[in-house]
Amino acid sequence: MAEYDYDLFVIGAGSGGVRAARLAAMSGARVAVAEEHRVGGTCVIRGCVPKKFMVYASEFASHFKTARAYGWTVDDPRFDWPAFLAEKDKEIARLSGIYVTNLQNAGAELVHAKARLVDAHTVELVGKDRKVTAAKILIATGGRPWVPRDMPGVEHVITSDEAFHIEQLPKRMVIAGGGYIAVEFACIFNGLGVDVTLVHRGPNILRGFDDHVRAHLAEEMDKKGIKVLLGCQHDQVTKGPDGLTSHLSSGHEVTSDLVLFATGREPYVEGLGLEAAGVETRDGAIVVDAFSRTSVDGVWAVGDVTNRINLTPVAIREGAAFAQTEFYDNPTSFDHEMVASAVFSQPAIGSVGLTEAEARRQHGKVDIYFSRFRAMKHTFAGGDERALIKLVVDGESQRLLGCHVVAQDAPEIIQMAAVALKMGVTKAQWDSTCAVHPTLAEELVTMREKYMPQDLGAAA
Ligand code: FAD
């Protein structure tokens, strides 16, 4: 390998790139990582982590309300957005610093530059007038927000990238999109007191999630005062004395102070030199096999740039599998089955496995167990927030195919459910687990009655 400057050159110091680089460097390989922005990538700098801080900040609004019912006096709580932003930025800087230290401790070299592929073993460091060579190159450049660039007035809208830095909280806000990022921001800003309208072109929010989960969350968002406009999209955005006006395909006009487009993400491949190096893409994403090998020998890709499952833990596991295979002589491919996911809405969603519709398509006969109820925390306080729990079971083998929870702690609950589903648990084994009382999650192991489609219709 000495004919090259490095054994491994990683493009992108986000979730996947950093994990792969650290592991490879710890094997004794000569590793360099290029990062054009800040170390940590989307997750740490403008994704999961700052988003979760905003969720925590936002949830206090309902905590204060509930607290009164439990006997607390909470006088005139107020929220200071600039103070929160300053603390958030401090913590993000700390976490980014830890990523840098971890890379350095592992012995990887960090290069602050945009990198561009020249060929299968050469990378150009843009703006540094320098080319380096490597035996292996890993592309881990992630994704970035997609907006309809030809929409009139697109220059007035922001994306999730900017949402973490708005200088002051708007009074009114329009959010375009129906995916998890749009829904999470709608709940966050609603909790912070912003009058939020969510505009989504589809028939319901959160495509890909179980239909009852989607309907349930839409209802809960409505109860909180979030206006959800479905089946329409932005024709244009205009700027006037009263703010920004969203002109919708339904003929509606909504005027607000801020318009956030969370209309999807695209693999970040611009300026990467993929064509020059002959790396194949499909629908903008780098095509890879189960071992994250691209169409070019010597070049691999992991994470969002491959558009498989666009989540941080998946990018990390793909990066780790690559390093195990290539630097530890331990061929490893990450199994993309039964990956649990969460939506940090209010209430939140935790989901693993198949939706009911997917299960019916793939397995034919399925048994459904379903419950919708008010958690005791809310019944005490007179709140009307409802939780939803749904199990999807294979009618023949009785294996659990899917588990879906909508409740404040659903993301925490679903992690453990995912262990059981990944191991192929049957309904009888699941039910043999004794409940933890009094919890919301105990409902998961106490549902004995199968629900019939007519019950489900009524429940939804
Ligand atoms: P990234 O983390 O995006 O890292 C790519 C890095 O490469 C970036 O730092 C970029 O600057 C750099 N780069 C790109 N091109 C170049 C180049 N040519 N040269 C040098 N550097 C380059 N996932 C979850 O699991 N849970 C969540 O709750 C969650 N919430 C999210 C919320 C938001 C608002 C967003 C946007 C995403 C969220 N995600 C969440 C998704 C998660 O952030 C991504 O799946 C994850 O970060 C992907 O990791 P990655 O390594 O593929 O890329």
Side-chain angles (χ1 to χ4, degrees):
M1 286 195 180
E3 61 184 296
Y4 298 110
D5 300 327
Y6 299 100
D7 301 321
L8 172 66
F9 194 94
V10 179
I11 307 180
S15 306
V18 166
R19 180 56 58 97
R22 279 181 61 205
L23 280 177
M26 283 156 64
S27 78
R30 295 166 306 145
V31 178
V33 192
E35 173 54 56
E36 66 172 352
H37 186 50
R38 288 173 71 188
V39 174
T42 304
C43 175
V44 177
I45 309 297
R46 50 190 175 274
C48 334
V49 176
K51 183 267 308 275
K52 192 77 186 279
F53 291 139
M54 285 170 78
V55 171
Y56 285 135
S58 162
E59 282 174 345
F60 279 98
S62 77
H63 294 336
F64 287 131
K65 237 195 249 170
T66 316
R68 291 194 183 99
Y70 280 91
W72 287 88
T73 302
V74 187
D75 290 329
D76 191 22
R78 270 161 299 150
F79 177 65
D80 184 339
W81 174 254
F84 164 73
L85 280 192
E87 286 306 310
K88 186 258 302 170
D89 288 342
K90 232 195 280 171
E91 182 61 4
I92 298 303
R94 189 183 72 84
L95 293 172
S96 178
I98 290 175
Y99 270 68
V100 173
T101 307
N102 287 345
L103 276 173
Q104 286 165 346
N105 288 348
E109 182 186 330
L110 185 59
V111 186
H112 288 284
K114 182 177 178 73
R116 194 174 66 82
L117 274 183
V118 177
D119 60 39
H121 296 286
T122 313
V123 169
E124 178 190 348
L125 300 172
V126 180
K128 291 209 182 293
D129 199 19
R130 192 179 145 205
K131 282 187 186 152
V132 296
T133 59
K136 298 175 186 190
I137 294 172
L138 177 68
I139 302 171
T141 51
R144 61 180 180 173
W146 178 89
V147 290
R149 291 186 182 90
D150 50 0
M151 183 194 73
V154 71
E155 68 277 11
H156 301 310
V157 314
I158 65 162
T159 69
S160 61
D161 284 358
E162 294 80 41
F164 296 110
H165 304 286
I166 50 179
E167 279 177 15
Q168 58 185 41
L169 270 185
K171 286 201 165 50
R172 306 157 300 172
M173 183 170 186
V174 170
I175 299 179
Y180 79 93
I181 295 175
V183 164
E184 288 176 341
F185 276 118
C187 293
I188 287 168
F189 284 109
N190 168 262
L192 296 178
V194 179
D195 177 4
V196 176
T197 304
L198 184 76
V199 175
H200 176 46
R201 63 181 180 178
N204 205 352
I205 54 172
L206 294 177
R207 188 161 62 92
F209 282 82
D210 187 89
D211 284 342
H212 289 98
V213 168
R214 301 169 72 189
H216 183 88
L217 188 71
E219 207 177 289
E220 291 298 320
M221 287 169 69
D222 180 64
K223 281 189 208 164
K224 289 189 189 301
I226 299 171
K227 294 178 274 295
V228 180
L229 305 182
L230 298 170
C232 60
Q233 59 186 338
H234 279 75
D235 282 342
Q236 64 169 319
V237 175
T238 53
K239 194 172 184 172
D242 193 28
L244 299 173
T245 300
S246 296
H247 302 262
L248 306 180
S249 55
S250 57
H252 283 90
E253 289 181 1
V254 185
T255 299
S256 67
D257 310 302
L258 189 67
V259 179
L260 164 63
F261 264 52
T263 41
R265 293 178 62 77
E266 60 185 1
Y268 185 17
V269 294
E270 192 181 292
L272 248 187
L274 296 183
E275 278 170 27
V279 176
E280 186 191 342
T281 58
R282 193 176 305 132
D283 297 330
I286 297 180
V287 178
V288 288
D289 69 7
F291 290 91
S292 297
R293 288 181 291 226
T294 71
S295 57
V296 173
D297 272 353
V299 180
W300 286 255
V302 295
D304 286 10
V305 76
T306 63
N307 200 18
R308 287 176 276 183
I309 299 177
N310 298 332
L311 292 172
T312 289
V314 174
I316 289 174
R317 295 293 285 266
E318 289 169 356
F322 158 79
Q324 283 293 332
T325 306
E326 298 302 323
F327 293 93
Y328 290 85
D329 198 19
N330 175 26
T332 309
S333 69
F334 173 64
D335 175 10
H336 291 82
E337 290 296 312
M338 287 288 180
V339 172
S341 68
V343 179
F344 294 94
S345 45
Q346 298 171 37
I349 296 173
S351 186
V352 60
L354 301 182
T355 66
E356 181 185 346
E358 286 167 343
R360 288 196 188 284
R361 258 197 313 277
Q362 292 178 27
H363 294 260
K365 185 172 173 303
V366 296
D367 297 336
I368 301 297
Y369 297 83
F370 185 87
S371 182
R372 246 164 66 116
F373 56 96
R374 283 197 300 156
M376 64 188 278
K377 179 178 175 191
H378 296 300
T379 53
F380 182 92
D384 61 355
E385 183 175 302
R386 281 174 188 271
L388 176 150
I389 288 181
K390 182 170 177 178
L391 297 179
V392 181
V393 179
D394 183 9
E396 295 297 329
S397 68
Q398 286 297 298
R399 268 188 56 204
L400 256 73
L401 302 173
C403 176
H404 309 279
V405 181
V406 187
Q408 194 190 339
D409 294 323
E412 305 292 342
I413 293 168
I414 210 68
Q415 181 68 81
M416 295 316 293
V419 175
L421 266 75
K422 182 89 182 158
M423 292 173 73
V425 70
T426 64
K427 181 68 165 60
Q429 290 167 329
W430 179 270
D431 287 348
S432 72
T433 309
C434 190
V436 179
H437 182 74
T439 65
L440 182 139
E442 68 183 298
E443 189 78 8
L444 275 170
V445 292
T446 53
M447 292 191 295
R448 298 288 185 268
E449 300 250 322
K450 280 183 216 166
Y451 272 73
M452 297 297 138
Q454 64 268 25
D455 301 322
L456 285 172

